[in-house]
Amino acid sequence: MPTSSCVASTRRQDDERSNRTVKQIYAAILLLPWSLLTMSSSKPSSPCTKVCVLAGATGSCRGCGRTRQEISMWGGMSEVERRRTMAKLEDRLLTSIRQSEINS
């Protein structure tokens, strides 16, 4: 059976470990860039399908339909501008598919 001094020593060690963990968490939070701490939880809209291949004939991405210019400007666009661009993409992709079928 452990003595009271052993129990007290074990509790002190547990408290010290716990305090170190809390301090490490606070230190990690303080090192995060402010932009990460204040970021909105909602992700910006993106049509990206991770199939990034620019078609030579149209100059648009075969995965999402955006042009090179739209892709490069995407991060600076407002949500309204992004949605306006995304509204055009379905027709653009269908046109691109039709053109490739005609050329085949």
Side-chain angles (χ1 to χ4, degrees):
M1 184 167 173
T3 64
S4 61
S5 64
C6 288
V7 171
S9 175
T10 303
R11 284 188 187 146
R12 263 195 310 273
Q13 289 173 347
D14 288 343
D15 288 344
E16 287 173 8
R17 278 191 216 111
S18 178
N19 284 337
R20 276 197 306 263
T21 303
V22 170
K23 288 177 184 176
Q24 289 169 339
I25 291 169
Y26 284 136
I29 290 171
L30 292 174
L31 293 174
L32 288 174
W34 181 250
S35 60
L36 289 178
L37 295 173
T38 58
M39 248 175 31
S40 168
S41 62
S42 62
K43 292 171 59 177
S45 299
S46 176
C48 184
T49 60
K50 308 281 191 260
V51 179
C52 306
V53 177
L54 293 175
T58 62
S60 62
C61 176
R62 291 183 182 174
C64 67
R66 293 180 293 172
T67 64
R68 182 184 308 267
Q69 183 180 8
E70 289 166 342
I71 293 168
S72 67
M73 294 175 57
W74 200 257
M77 288 181 173
S78 69
E79 186 63 23
V80 171
E81 292 170 317
R82 288 180 182 150
R83 293 199 181 271
R84 193 176 302 135
T85 300
M86 289 191 319
K88 303 173 192 174
L89 297 179
E90 185 176 354
D91 287 337
R92 196 181 291 169
L93 283 169
L94 288 173
T95 301
S96 178
I97 291 169
R98 286 186 199 118
Q99 284 178 348
S100 65
E101 287 174 352
I102 291 170
N103 294 335
S104 297

